[in-house]
Amino acid sequence: MASQAGGGSQELEGDFPPNPFREGGAVDADEFYDHPLGDGGGGTDASSGQDSFVPNVHDASFAAQASLQGSIQPPAPPAQPPQEPQTRWQMLMGCMSMENLRSYFDVDTSDVRKRIIGSVTYVNSPGGFRYHVLGVNAPALVETESPSASNTTQTKKVPGPDLYGPFWVTLTLVFLVAVTSNMSLFLHSDSKSEIEYDISHLIRATSIFFFYTFGLPGMLFLTLKCGAVQGLGFVELVALYGYSLVPFFPATFLCLMPWAIVHWIALGISTTLSGMLILRNVSGPILESDPSPAHTKAGPILMFIVGIHVIFYFVLKFTFYHHRKF
């Protein structure tokens, strides 16, 4: 058994190289390392007196790869192509996108009600409707008293000029004028059996009032741009012209009375209030842009606004409330 064990150990020792760290099997250190420990690559550092161990690295490619790891940078993002300048059509389509139009319809019922009331209460206030009702040049948030506790405040967003209110004010007035003009024709006709509802009144009212609300502000906006007048935007002008139609609501019912003088007075007062609201809110920026004493630039623009309202007054009277017997 011993001989067999001894023979097995001899076979194992013959199969594997001797371990240099076992007792009796030590080898010279210079044979284990590439160079003697006393050389500059290892051993005792003459300057510090400490032993330093330098491993044997035979693979030169590994050393080169390790040296390059610190210099490897992540790939740079692809260069973006230069953006081409937008054409006027692309800019117009961008302004008409849903994202831009959404902010002009972000009003609730209370906001529209305040603006309808403000179109009458601020009719003679210079810039009052723009600043206090439409919130032009107003801070985005204002502090208001909380309804639950008087000593606390809450912030509320101040909506700017909107398109929601002017659209519904104009549409409501279209139906009021179409209905009351046919009713006036029926009440003041001698032959009741021959009276029929005139659908053309609805078509004419739609064309006239929507042109007043959206067409005239567009013409005025282009005129102001040509005259280098700043501070009045297109949406702001639409809001002014749209809410300026509010005084015509009671005038449509007064035009049902059987006296022509009442029609002239009712429509005249409504047109005057509407024109005053617009003039008192646009005259400030227009006059500020024309510092000359004679106002050679602001005068024609203001006369244009007044002249349009005079024409509008006669169009309403002779298109919807003019009867032969009067």
Side-chain angles (χ1 to χ4, degrees):
M1 296 296 291
S3 62
Q4 294 178 357
S9 62
Q10 291 177 359
E11 294 177 0
L12 291 175
E13 291 177 357
D15 294 337
F16 296 93
N19 189 350
F21 296 101
R22 292 183 58 184
E23 183 179 359
V27 297
D28 189 13
D30 293 338
E31 297 179 1
F32 184 72
Y33 297 99
D34 282 346
H35 47 76
L37 293 177
D39 262 346
T44 304
D45 192 353
S47 60
S48 60
Q50 297 180 356
D51 293 338
S52 61
F53 177 75
V54 181
N56 182 15
V57 181
H58 298 281
D59 193 358
S61 63
F62 173 80
Q65 181 180 3
S67 63
L68 290 176
Q69 285 181 355
S71 62
I72 296 176
Q73 300 294 333
Q80 298 292 335
Q83 296 183 356
E84 298 181 358
Q86 291 185 344
T87 62
R88 292 183 179 180
W89 178 256
Q90 291 175 340
M91 295 175 63
L92 178 61
M93 290 297 99
C95 294
M96 298 300 293
S97 63
M98 293 302 297
E99 293 297 329
N100 292 333
L101 292 178
R102 185 178 301 172
S103 60
Y104 299 126
F105 291 86
D106 189 16
V107 291
D108 51 20
T109 306
S110 61
D111 295 326
V112 176
R113 182 174 62 250
K114 291 178 182 178
R115 297 182 177 197
I116 290 175
I117 298 174
S119 64
V120 179
T121 56
Y122 286 94
V123 70
N124 197 30
S125 174
F129 186 77
R130 292 179 64 235
Y131 300 129
H132 301 290
V133 181
L134 294 182
V136 177
N137 299 330
L141 295 175
V142 295
E143 291 187 353
T144 58
E145 292 187 358
S146 175
S148 58
S150 58
N151 57 351
T152 60
T153 59
Q154 61 181 356
T155 58
K156 180 183 178 181
K157 183 179 180 180
V158 178
D162 67 293
L163 298 176
Y164 181 82
F167 174 80
W168 284 109
V169 168
T170 305
L171 189 63
T172 304
L173 188 59
V174 165
F175 284 99
L176 281 177
V177 170
V179 171
T180 55
S181 61
N182 280 278
M183 291 179 62
S184 177
L185 181 63
F186 175 77
L187 294 175
H188 303 106
S189 177
D190 295 331
S191 179
K192 307 296 184 182
S193 60
E194 297 179 359
I195 297 299
E196 295 181 359
Y197 184 81
D198 191 358
I199 192 63
S200 63
H201 284 185
L202 179 61
I203 299 174
R204 285 194 294 265
T206 302
S207 304
I208 292 173
F209 286 108
F210 274 94
F211 176 77
Y212 176 90
T213 303
F214 296 96
L216 286 180
M219 295 173 57
L220 181 59
F221 177 74
L222 294 177
T223 304
L224 296 177
K225 284 298 182 182
C226 294
V229 177
Q230 304 296 330
L232 290 171
F234 172 71
V235 178
E236 182 180 345
L237 292 174
V238 170
L240 282 173
Y241 273 84
Y243 286 110
S244 69
L245 293 176
V246 172
F248 289 95
F249 285 177
T252 58
F253 295 101
L254 292 176
C255 288
L256 294 175
M257 302 182 67
W259 299 290
I261 188 63
V262 176
H263 301 176
W264 287 102
I265 294 175
L267 293 176
I269 293 175
S270 302
T271 306
T272 302
L273 294 176
S274 175
M276 287 179 61
L277 179 68
I278 295 175
L279 284 175
R280 299 293 277 179
N281 286 274
V282 303
S283 59
I286 293 175
L287 293 175
E288 290 175 0
S289 63
D290 187 11
S292 61
H295 298 297
T296 56
K297 183 173 62 176
I301 297 176
L302 297 177
M303 292 302 298
F304 169 77
I305 297 174
V306 175
I308 289 295
H309 272 75
V310 173
I311 296 174
F312 184 65
Y313 168 64
F314 286 106
V315 167
L316 291 181
K317 180 63 179 74
F318 291 106
T319 303
F320 302 105
Y321 302 105
H322 178 67
H323 307 291
R324 292 182 180 179
K325 64 180 296 184
F326 294 155

